């Protein structure tokens, strides 16, 4: 029979492709006159979700105690009781998570199933998780509470989180990396005009490469790739070899006598756009000796355009003599005392929930309002929330 024991939540669907659906059934308190689980002689207790997609059958089976509902707000299955979830939809159940009550944490017994797999539990776990593919799944409670107090087994939970179907998001095509022209010219004859370390910070995946001597070629492609999401921000750091401190009397032949130009190609069309120029052109006294000290230690923040999605692009940093090649471009082939560094950048796919991220894949469900404030999942009022479980964050509608 259909009753008010359950509240029902379904995930909002995206029209562009099919998602798996998540259904959250919360067991709520009932008045004494409306109990569903009352230890009556009826050997099977059944109830339904509000939309009739699910039927739940509690059976004493061979157990000495029958299933019962507690005023504390949980459903208690006792040793050897069975619990069957039947799904009336067109696809199949792919995951079930039972959120354990306070009593369930104390008396968690071994739970077995007639199909699929149950994650091995340990004392302190807050959920019992099943995965598989089925229209109906039956669970059986073990004889003893082996993960808590060693009395007869119990399985007590306040919520059932059911996933039906499988995500069918099509793979988004990734723009292949274009062919970039190679800069060229001459390196400094003394061999001290180079970057010792180039690394990124704040990206999803960062890079870090060091050089302890003059590179073999003027043009260097940094190992690996910065991986970042559209609209994100990250920082690129370039630490040049420094032969000595700032000086107005001693000449140190390193990159302080160069200018640096930073180029980006966020639309990945193979054409660089100048982003920033660092250092003074043709420095006059005393800076003809002091040099462009800001070129030796560059920290540059990049804001990835929101529209730069699924692209393989590059950032190029060029160093050239401050008194030469005044019309230097990203593809100059006549650099003097020059170096060029290319950083590959992979811009990934935009996340559906930008402000809330997941962590462990078996974490319990957490709920947030649209302002990012965490909410009590057992007392959600009607509205739209963000459900985070493991590494997935999804919008849900509470009815």
């Amino acid at each position: 029979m259909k009753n008010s024991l359950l509240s029902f939540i379904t995930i909002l669907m995206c029209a562009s492709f099919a998602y798996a659906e998540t259904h959250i059934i919360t067991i709520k308190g009932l008045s004494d006159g409306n109990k569903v689980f009352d230890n009556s002689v009826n050997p099977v207790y059944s109830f339904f979700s509000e939309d009739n997609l699910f039927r739940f059958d509690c059976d004493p089976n061979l157990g000495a105690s029958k299933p019962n509902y507690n005023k504390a707000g949980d459903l208690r299955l006792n040793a050897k009781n069975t619990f069957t979830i039947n799904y009336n939809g067109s696809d199949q159940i792919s995951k079930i998570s039972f959120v354990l009550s306070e009593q369930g944490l104390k008396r968690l017994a071994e739970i077995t199933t007639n199909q699929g797999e149950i994650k091995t539990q340990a004392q302190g776990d807050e959920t019992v998780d099943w995965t598989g593919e089925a229209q109906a799944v039956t669970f059986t409670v073990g004889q003893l509470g082996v993960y808590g107090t060693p009395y007869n087994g119990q399985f007590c939970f306040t919520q059932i989180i059911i996933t039906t179907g499988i995500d069918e998001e099509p793979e988004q095509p990734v723009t292949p990396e274009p062919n970039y022209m190679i800069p060229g010219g001459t390196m400094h004859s003394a061999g001290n005009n180079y970057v010792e370390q180039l690394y990124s910070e704040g990206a999803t995946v960062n890079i870090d490469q060091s050089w302890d001597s003059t590179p073999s070629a003027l043009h260097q492609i940094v190992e690996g790739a910065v991986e970042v999401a559209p609209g994100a921000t990250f920082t690129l750091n370039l630490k040049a070899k420094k032969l000595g401190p700032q000086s107005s009397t001693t000449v140190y032949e390193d990159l302080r006598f160069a200018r640096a130009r930073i180029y980006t190609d966020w639309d990945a069309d193979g054409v660089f756009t100048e982003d920033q120029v660092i250092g003074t052109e043709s420095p006059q006294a005393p800076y003809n000796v002091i040099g462009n000290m800001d070129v030796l230690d560059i920290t540059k923040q990049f804001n990835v355009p929101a529209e730069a999605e699924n692209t393989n692009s590059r950032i190029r940093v060029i160093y050239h003599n401050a008194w030469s090649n005044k019309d230097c471009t990203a593809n100059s082939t006549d650099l003097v005392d020059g170096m060029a560094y290319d950083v590959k950048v992979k811009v990934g796919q935009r996340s559906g929930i930008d402000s809330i991220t997941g962590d462990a894949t078996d974490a319990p469900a957490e709920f947030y309002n649209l302002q990012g404030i965490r909410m009590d999942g057992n007392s959600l009022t009607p509205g739209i929330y963000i459900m985070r479980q493991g590494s997935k964050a999804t919008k849900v509608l509470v009815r």
Side-chain angles (χ1 to χ4, degrees):
M1 69 179 190
K2 183 175 179 181
N3 58 73
S4 60
L5 178 66
L6 308 175
S7 66
F8 193 70
I9 304 174
T10 56
I11 281 185
L12 296 173
M13 301 297 291
C14 176
S16 60
F17 50 83
Y19 280 111
E21 289 187 283
T22 297
H23 316 264
I24 303 178
I25 294 90
T26 299
I27 298 172
K28 294 183 176 180
L30 297 174
S31 65
D32 291 343
N34 193 30
K35 283 186 179 178
V36 176
F37 309 108
D38 57 2
N39 285 323
S40 69
V41 294
N42 186 0
V44 177
Y45 307 93
S46 297
F47 55 98
F48 297 79
S49 60
E50 291 185 354
D51 59 359
N52 287 319
L53 275 177
F54 299 94
R55 188 183 80 246
F56 304 92
D57 295 329
C58 308
D59 193 331
N61 198 19
L62 302 175
S65 300
K66 299 176 181 179
N68 61 85
Y69 165 73
N70 294 309
K71 290 183 179 180
D74 63 359
L75 175 60
R76 177 175 298 178
L77 302 173
N78 295 291
K80 297 187 178 181
N81 290 180
T82 62
F83 183 69
T84 301
I85 300 177
N86 302 276
Y87 176 47
N88 299 320
S90 59
D91 45 14
Q92 296 191 17
I93 300 172
S94 56
K95 182 177 180 180
I96 301 170
S97 291
F98 296 93
V99 180
L100 300 177
S101 65
E102 182 177 352
Q103 177 67 15
L105 294 173
K106 299 176 182 177
R107 295 281 291 273
L108 179 62
E110 181 182 10
I111 309 300
T112 58
T113 181
N114 65 329
Q115 58 182 301
E117 295 183 0
I118 291 182
K119 178 180 175 293
T120 301
Q121 300 299 303
Q123 187 171 0
D125 286 357
E126 297 181 352
T127 63
V128 173
D129 301 318
W130 174 93
T131 55
E133 293 184 20
Q135 292 287 129
V137 188
T138 298
F139 301 90
T140 301
V141 182
Q143 179 65 44
L144 296 175
V146 294
Y147 303 116
T149 306
Y151 299 125
N152 286 340
Q154 289 183 356
F155 185 29
C156 309
F157 48 90
T158 58
Q159 284 185 330
I160 311 168
I161 303 174
I162 304 174
T163 302
T164 56
I166 300 174
D167 285 343
E168 296 180 352
E169 179 180 356
E171 290 187 4
Q172 298 295 321
V174 177
T175 303
E177 184 179 81
N179 293 320
Y180 289 101
M181 295 182 63
I182 300 176
T186 59
M187 302 168 66
H188 196 283
S189 58
N192 295 311
N193 283 27
Y194 65 91
V195 170
E196 287 189 319
Q197 185 182 20
L198 192 158
Y199 64 97
S200 64
E201 296 177 294
T204 305
V205 176
N206 289 297
I207 57 169
D208 189 344
Q209 186 172 347
S210 298
W211 294 264
D212 56 9
S213 61
T214 304
S216 58
L218 181 151
H219 180 229
Q220 296 289 307
I221 300 178
V222 180
E223 296 174 357
V226 174
E227 296 184 21
V228 67
T233 300
F234 71 97
T235 301
L236 201 62
N237 302 278
L238 297 99
K239 311 291 185 181
K241 182 178 179 63
K242 183 186 293 186
L243 293 177
Q246 177 176 309
S247 175
S248 59
T249 58
T250 303
V251 175
Y252 295 105
E253 292 289 344
D254 53 27
L255 281 174
R256 73 188 69 194
F257 293 108
R259 300 182 82 194
R261 294 177 184 264
I262 300 175
Y263 301 88
T264 58
D265 179 28
W266 294 121
D267 57 5
D269 63 354
V271 179
F272 285 107
T273 300
E274 188 175 271
D275 186 287
Q276 184 178 358
V277 179
I278 302 173
T280 302
E281 180 181 319
S282 301
Q284 300 300 308
Y287 292 98
N288 61 329
V289 177
I290 293 175
N292 293 319
M293 297 299 292
D294 52 351
V295 172
L296 294 179
D297 192 349
I298 297 174
T299 296
K300 170 65 177 177
Q301 185 178 81
F302 295 93
N303 297 311
V304 183
E307 62 273 15
E309 187 172 4
N310 292 317
T311 57
N312 284 312
S313 60
R314 286 193 188 184
I315 294 171
R316 176 168 289 178
V317 181
I318 282 183
Y319 297 87
H320 61 99
N321 187 288
W323 286 266
S324 303
N325 296 328
K326 296 179 182 180
D327 296 325
C328 175
T329 68
N331 301 317
S332 292
T333 57
D334 57 352
L335 299 175
V336 176
D337 300 336
M339 285 298 301
Y341 296 88
D342 279 11
V343 176
K344 294 183 178 181
V345 182
K346 294 183 179 180
V347 183
Q349 188 172 335
R350 187 178 293 103
S351 171
I353 307 299
D354 293 328
S355 60
I356 299 175
T357 58
D359 36 41
T361 57
D362 59 351
E366 298 174 353
F367 296 89
Y368 300 81
N369 63 19
L370 296 183
Q371 288 72 49
I373 300 173
R374 187 169 177 178
M375 311 295 290
D376 182 357
N378 292 316
S379 58
L380 297 177
T381 59
I384 297 174
Y385 298 87
I386 307 302
M387 182 184 77
R388 184 184 78 174
Q389 186 175 27
S391 59
K392 298 183 68 175
T394 319
K395 284 186 179 179
V396 299
L397 172 65
V398 178
R399 299 170 179 171

